[in-house]
Amino acid sequence: MTTTETAQKPPSPTPTPAGTQVKAKQRLGDRVFTGTALGAGVIILLVLAAIAVFLVIQSIPAFAPDTTDNHILRGESFWVYVGPLIFGTVWASIIALILAAPLSIGIALFISHYAPRKLAPSLGYVIDLLAAVPSVVYGLWGGIVFAGFLQPFYVWLNENLGWIPLFAGVVSPTGKTILTASLVLAVMVIPIMTAICREVFLQAPTLHEEAALALGATRWEMIRMAVLPFARGGMVSAAMLALGRALGETMAVTMVLSVSGVISFELLTSTNPTPIPANIALSFPEAHDLGVNTLIATGLILFIVTFAVNAFARWIVARRAEFSGAN
């Protein structure tokens, strides 16, 4: 080998010791994105913790045994006062979810698997527009138009199905009942649940759908065997997200119902259970001193209920993912 060839030969790379990992050099954009994402996550946790601390500190006076000076409790214990409100919150939200879930899943299936391809994007856009309508507009529509429209139907339900406890009692002459409020909530949560279910249905494996159709299945049988099992976790997540929206809704329910503070399963009467958000909105302008702490304490209860619902939804989705992975 000549001297020129020796000079032109590249130096051999230094061997890396066994067991060591070579870290790739991160680009500036990657470091900025990583830091931004981490900061956003930390901010969310800090805000959530700050809200929880505020609610707990401000709620402590409401749990005092002596409530004679609390003009909201009127000598009752806090749990006697908040019990009907918890019932009203959960009752109205469950009714809204029961009414909204079948409609949302049906609309999502129609857009994703039945509607013509040129029509489906327009239908999805119209459904998404419903989520942009302010809640106060839904409240005005529900209290002024929808309640009066439903009142004759409520009379018919009471006359023909009054033997069912849900439709018993004296029908409200205005139509402003817990059922009306739940129907308004159902209309409000339909866009959210429909949008999530639609995206989940569109992500179903195309090969599974084509295989089912090739084996002679009808379109509904293909959806039942290939699409719905794949989308079950997504549908649960959509339902729980819609339930969380219904639990925290304030203005629409406030403009339909009045504060009554009772526990009743009757859907057509004027004496209705009151959800916590509506009670806070209606009672806060006149609250003072310990009354403010009491309303904040009911907000703490709503915070815990909403957190529990979301945690339960995450548990269901995680169990579903583990089950699918095992199979």
Side-chain angles (χ1 to χ4, degrees), residues 70-91:
N70 193 331
H71 72 287
I72 290 183
L73 297 183
R74 299 182 182 90
E76 299 176 339
S77 68
F78 173 77
W79 296 109
V80 173
Y81 171 76
V82 79
L85 299 178
I86 296 175
F87 171 81
T89 303
V90 176
W91 182 232

Side-chain angles (χ1 to χ4, degrees), residues 229-286:
F230 170 82
R232 192 171 301 166
M235 289 190 293
V236 172
S237 298
M240 293 300 103
L241 185 62
L243 180 60
R245 169 71 188 277
L247 286 171
E249 182 53 47
T250 303
M251 291 308 302
V253 179
T254 303
M255 302 180 75
V256 174
L257 296 178
S258 58
V259 176
S260 58
V262 298
I263 297 178
S264 175
F265 288 95
E266 296 176 351
L267 301 178
L268 310 179
T269 62
S270 300
T271 305
N272 302 288
T274 306
I276 291 177
N279 179 70
I280 294 175
L282 291 171
S283 303
F284 194 81
E286 300 178 357

Side-chain angles (χ1 to χ4, degrees), residues 298-323:
T298 60
L300 174 63
I301 301 298
L302 179 63
F303 180 85
I304 295 173
V305 171
T306 306
F307 184 83
V309 168
N310 291 324
F312 180 68
R314 296 295 301 176
W315 179 77
I316 292 178
V317 174
R319 286 290 301 271
R320 176 62 185 170
E322 292 177 1
F323 180 77

Side-chain angles (χ1 to χ4, degrees), residues 58 62 70 72-73 78 81 289-299:
Q58 294 294 324
N70 193 331
I72 290 183
L73 297 183
F78 173 77
Y81 171 76
D289 300 331
L290 288 177
V292 176
N293 298 107
T294 301
L295 294 179
I296 294 176
T298 60

